[in-house]
Amino acid sequence: DPLDGTKDFIQGTTNYAMHLALNHNNKSYIGLVLIPERDELWFSNGEKVWCERKDRSIYKPKLSKNSKLEDMTIVTSKNHRNGIIENLIDKANFKNVITMGSIGCKITSILRGESDIYISVSLPGESYPKDWDFAAPDSLLKASGGLITNLDNEEIKYGKPNFNQAGIIIATNNYKLHSSICSQIKEIVKKHKLFPFSSF
């Protein structure tokens, strides 16, 4: 993805990135996310993750240890928000909300410990995130100890004919607790009838 966060780039914000990923067997394996405005180049070799800067300094992920929704900071889209994500944020009672563009920027905010969770909600009839939006950030987060899945805790599969990543996708700071967090989010969504599951 040569420009992830196009609207932010046009608006002159710092929240845009470049992605490069290698997928294998429909899963993200190796990834690179460049965030020019932060002087950060994030790498994942499938096992380790690190960030390099122009001065050759190395920065390693520092994921937070927050595990309860009420203690978590959610990072969400600035330009692609909708009523469902707004209601979900309200019902989940997250501690803080950060908005920014670029999925790469959002996931690296989790890697720095600035946020704990990212939720993408795509409605039927709207544009969906694509493989190139998620693949590189996915490889970074997985190798750092976090995880990205759909709401049913199924890992994202790449290489589908339309390249769409539809529905609800959740990224968290802890793969061990990820399933539990997905279950909690799913319960909130069902209880308050926030999402039209039958449309997918």
Side-chain angles (χ1 to χ4, degrees), residues 13-167:
T13 78
T14 61
N15 298 313
Y16 63 91
M18 291 81 176
H19 297 177
L20 180 65
L22 172 65
N23 296 338
H24 180 64
N25 290 333
N26 303 113
K27 293 184 179 181
S28 178
Y29 181 60
I30 295 173
L32 181 154
V33 173
L34 171 66
I35 308 176
E37 299 290 345
R38 293 187 66 105
D39 187 24
E40 292 182 350
L41 181 57
W42 288 88
F43 293 93
S44 167
N45 64 6
E47 297 179 356
K48 297 181 181 179
V49 176
W50 68 97
C51 175
E52 297 182 8
R53 296 188 172 95
K54 286 183 181 179
D55 63 4
R56 299 187 179 182
S57 61
I58 303 294
Y59 180 89
K60 294 184 179 180
K62 297 180 181 178
L63 281 70
S64 81
K65 299 186 183 302
N66 293 328
S67 58
K68 297 179 180 179
L69 295 183
E70 60 267 26
D71 295 329
M72 287 185 165
T73 294
I74 184 171
V75 58
T76 186
S77 294
K78 181 167 67 70
N79 293 306
H80 299 285
R81 299 183 76 170
N82 54 54
I84 291 177
I85 192 65
E86 298 285 355
N87 286 331
L88 178 54
I89 289 172
D90 180 61
K91 302 300 182 185
N93 195 30
F94 293 108
K95 184 176 181 179
N96 293 306
V97 180
I98 298 174
T99 59
M100 65 176 66
S102 168
I103 292 174
C105 289
K106 294 183 188 80
I107 297 304
T108 54
S109 79
I110 295 177
L111 299 182
R112 293 186 217 97
E114 299 166 354
S115 63
D116 307 292
I117 184 171
Y118 163 57
I119 302 176
S120 169
V121 177
S122 302
L123 294 170
E126 294 186 355
S127 61
Y128 302 131
K130 304 291 186 180
D131 284 5
W132 45 85
D133 295 308
F134 274 107
D138 184 358
S139 68
L140 294 174
L141 190 58
K142 282 191 296 190
S144 298
L147 195 60
I148 300 179
T149 70
N150 64 19
L151 189 61
D152 293 317
N153 195 36
E154 300 167 336
E155 285 195 58
I156 294 177
K157 292 183 179 180
Y158 299 97
K160 293 179 289 188
N162 58 15
F163 303 108
N164 285 342
Q165 297 297 339

Side-chain angles (χ1 to χ4, degrees), residues 88 91 183-195 197:
L88 178 54
K91 302 300 182 185
S183 294
Q184 292 176 62
I185 297 296
K186 189 171 185 177
E187 183 62 29
I188 293 170
V189 170
K190 284 188 171 182
K191 179 180 179 181
H192 298 283
K193 300 179 180 179
L194 299 180
F195 189 79
F197 289 105

